[in-house]
Amino acid sequence: MNTDRSGSATIETGQYDFVVVANRLPVDRVTNEDGSSGFRRAPGGLVTALHPIMSASSGAWVGWHGAVDETLEDFDNDGIHLVPVALSEADVELYYEGFSNSTLWPLYHDVIVPPEYHRTWWDAYKAINQRFADATLRVAAPGATVWVHDYQLQLVPRILRMARPDLKIGFFNHIPFPSMSLFAQLPWRTQILEGLAGADLVGFQRKDDADNFMNCLQNFTDYSIQGFEATPPFEHDTQNICTAAPHPISIDTSEVARLARDPQIIARAAQIRHELGNPKTVMLGVDRLDYTKGIRHRLKAYGELLSDQALQAGEVCLIQVASPSRENVGRYMQLRNQVELMVGQITGQHDTISHTTLRYLHHSYPLREMIALYLAADVLLVTALRDGMNLVAKEYVASHQDGRGVLVLSEFTGAADQLNDAVLVNPHDIAGMKRKIIAAVTMDEAEQSERMQRMIQHLEHNDVQHWSRHFLDDLNKLAETHRPTSPTKVSEV
Ligand code: F6P
């Protein structure tokens, strides 16, 4: 804070007109040829969508750089100004593994495992949200557009609004928003809701999520609700109107399609099938190793199909990629043990000397290898118990421009709202899921192609660029309608 000539306080502002705030920065650490360390743009839909907007204008990204107990200065990478937020070992334990991933994550995913409520975790969440907001305030220009992402940072919109009413503030929730009866459990429900309501626009994956948010605001705050607009009471310390809306995220469809036509990737797909012994049917599962993904339900159905001999060892192989995630969180360790026990039981019982029925891979792979796996797979199994969107489903579809392949998709994913030509399943219904898997394996080519082409068309019109452009256009309109004197237009950013 400075004082001007008249002696009254002025707030320091930064120079960036468009600021993204997310738990992680969009970069991976790499070792350069001379042995020094540097950063490279991380693959991913969000940065792909925002990169053109950020590099064409004055864009900054605030986030954690992934290392513990390391403080870094701001730096520029690939046309984006990066603002690293430092996290100590205790911060990671209490804010990231604790409140974000052991309180909010399970609560927002239908309490698949019980959420834990600890006041020390909440205190850390508040302090770290303040730290992200402070870093944002340091770089945001007057009237800047600030786009905050995801459940780790739900208090940031209100902190920004209180400090800088000039900002246009958007928030996008990448995961589901729970029903009022579940959200009611959260001891800090009012603070979280008011934190989010500091934004002009709160975007969700599904209309149901936006409905849940509005119901929660109506029941647990003093805001008055009209449709999807929430207005604070007269005496409230923030005075913005908050609008909620569905804005389902998508993928870089043309880039995935381009990679799927790459001859090297096509050859790699053939090699994968060959190395598995050219089974008649290759099925694929690709997930972070997370209890929300329904991996155990999928393996149960698959194991039973092999035992029933509805699927024959030697003719079928399931590749299950389970990428390591949140490995210090107890429930994730427990899940890994359960999944690996099931993998051992299935392969032990059904494999032959020459053929495996299940190839389990506890690794992450680069996008090119993922596209080769999608191309190699006749069927993709997405059996999440709850999932905000599921971009793997969309990538699989966009890879299959030739119309081959079948997507088996859980009803409990955001993607099911849009990809309704998939074979939809309820992963809790093992018998039903087994029938649907067999229907997918035996689907004729004409039906595969009809379904695939309709889903591809949807993804061509609704890609990640379309998503970000629409969100920012809506944010700009809402901020202008509600505060007509705002100086900066997002479309000018
Ligand atoms: O789906 C929510 C999300 O935060 C994604 O944005 C992210 O890719 C994934 O979960 C894993 O997040 P992290 O490894 O940072 O916990």
Side-chain angles (χ1 to χ4, degrees), residues 23-24 96 101 105 150-152 174-175 288 325-326:
N23 182 51
R24 289 185 191 269
Y96 172 72
N101 289 316
W105 182 267
D150 229 356
Y151 63 103
Q152 301 94 342
H174 291 249
I175 69 173
R288 273 186 313 101
S325 185
R326 304 174 189 165

Side-chain angles (χ1 to χ4, degrees), residues 176-193:
F177 198 87
S179 67
M180 195 184 71
S181 56
L182 290 180
F183 193 75
Q185 290 183 14
L186 187 64
W188 309 282
R189 59 197 186 191
T190 305
Q191 292 95 314
I192 292 281
L193 292 166

Side-chain angles (χ1 to χ4, degrees), residues 142-171:
T145 295
V146 181
W147 193 358
V148 185
H149 289 266
D150 229 356
Y151 63 103
Q152 301 94 342
L153 300 175
Q154 293 172 100
L155 303 179
V156 171
R158 173 179 161 85
I159 301 172
L160 297 179
R161 175 72 60 204
M162 299 271 291
R164 293 274 301 279
D166 59 296
L167 298 175
K168 293 173 186 172
I169 305 169
F171 182 94

Side-chain angles (χ1 to χ4, degrees), residues 26-336:
V27 283
D28 290 330
R29 210 159 207 144
V30 287
T31 307
N32 299 320
E33 275 173 14
D34 62 1
S36 63
S37 89
F39 289 93
R40 186 179 49 209
R41 172 141 68 106
L46 187 58
V47 65
T48 309
L50 298 178
H51 189 266
I53 310 173
M54 300 192 92
S55 53
S57 66
S58 171
W61 189 306
V62 177
W64 178 42
H65 48 284
V68 173
D69 281 326
E70 183 189 39
T71 304
L72 294 179
E73 294 299 319
D74 296 10
F75 60 100
D76 291 331
N77 182 279
D78 202 6
I80 303 182
H81 184 72
L82 300 179
V83 183
V85 175
L87 294 183
S88 68
E89 202 176 325
D91 296 335
V92 171
E93 189 187 325
L94 303 173
Y95 148 79
Y96 172 72
E97 292 162 357
F99 199 78
S100 297
N101 289 316
S102 302
T103 303
L104 296 173
W105 182 267
L107 179 66
Y108 284 32
H109 286 88
D110 289 357
V111 299
I112 294 166
V113 306
E116 291 180 47
Y117 304 112
H118 298 296
R119 284 163 287 179
T120 47
W121 291 1
W122 165 244
D123 289 341
Y125 186 80
K126 278 191 296 185
I128 306 301
N129 271 245
Q130 181 72 50
R131 194 178 301 166
F132 275 79
D134 288 343
T136 308
L137 293 169
R138 178 166 63 74
V139 294
T145 295
V146 181
W147 193 358
V148 185
H149 289 266
D150 229 356
Y151 63 103
Q152 301 94 342
L153 300 175
Q154 293 172 100
L155 303 179
V156 171
R158 173 179 161 85
I159 301 172
L160 297 179
R161 175 72 60 204
M162 299 271 291
R164 293 274 301 279
D166 59 296
L167 298 175
K168 293 173 186 172
I169 305 169
F171 182 94
F172 184 73
N173 199 52
H174 291 249
I175 69 173
F177 198 87
S179 67
M180 195 184 71
S181 56
L182 290 180
F183 193 75
Q185 290 183 14
L186 187 64
W188 309 282
R189 59 197 186 191
T190 305
Q191 292 95 314
I192 292 281
L193 292 166
E194 293 202 343
L196 290 167
D200 295 293
L201 172 61
V202 182
F204 294 95
Q205 302 281 24
R206 302 172 310 155
K207 181 176 172 296
D208 285 1
D209 300 318
D211 284 337
N212 289 344
F213 175 59
M214 280 293 146
N215 277 339
C216 288
L217 272 175
Q218 177 131 47
N219 281 279
F220 303 130
T221 71
D222 293 336
Y223 277 65
S224 30
I225 307 300
Q226 266 210 316
F228 284 97
E229 276 189 6
T231 309
F234 179 66
E235 67 284 2
H236 204 265
D237 46 19
T238 57
Q239 276 301 315
N240 66 292
I241 294 174
C242 170
T243 303
H247 277 273
I249 198 170
S250 194
I251 55 163
D252 189 355
T253 310
S254 59
E255 174 63 2
V256 172
R258 187 186 69 77
L259 289 171
R261 288 191 295 268
D262 181 324
Q264 279 181 348
I265 295 180
I266 294 171
R268 172 71 187 137
Q271 187 188 19
I272 290 170
R273 287 188 79 107
H274 176 72
E275 287 175 357
L276 291 172
N278 277 320
K280 201 167 124 198
T281 305
V282 173
M283 292 201 263
L284 176 67
V286 176
D287 311 87
R288 273 186 313 101
L289 189 42
D290 193 301
Y291 49 79
T292 59
K293 303 291 182 180
I295 301 172
R296 290 187 304 136
H297 296 64
R298 183 183 315 163
L299 292 180
K300 186 166 177 54
Y302 182 63
E304 287 190 16
L305 286 168
L306 290 167
S307 298
D308 302 345
Q309 299 203 330
L311 293 173
Q312 311 293 332
E315 290 188 0
V316 63
C317 179
L318 169 61
I319 306 173
Q320 176 62 56
V321 176
S323 50
S325 185
R326 304 174 189 165
E327 291 187 288
N328 293 325
V329 177
R331 289 284 173 176
Y332 289 74
M333 294 178 196
Q334 194 184 18
L335 175 74
R336 181 172 176 190

Side-chain angles (χ1 to χ4, degrees), residues 385-408:
L385 305 176
R386 177 57 76 201
D387 205 338
M389 177 49 64
N390 199 287
L391 295 178
V392 166
K394 292 189 171 180
E395 286 177 356
Y396 178 76
V397 169
S399 301
H400 282 267
Q401 302 280 324
D402 57 2
R404 279 186 317 105
V406 184
L407 170 63
V408 173

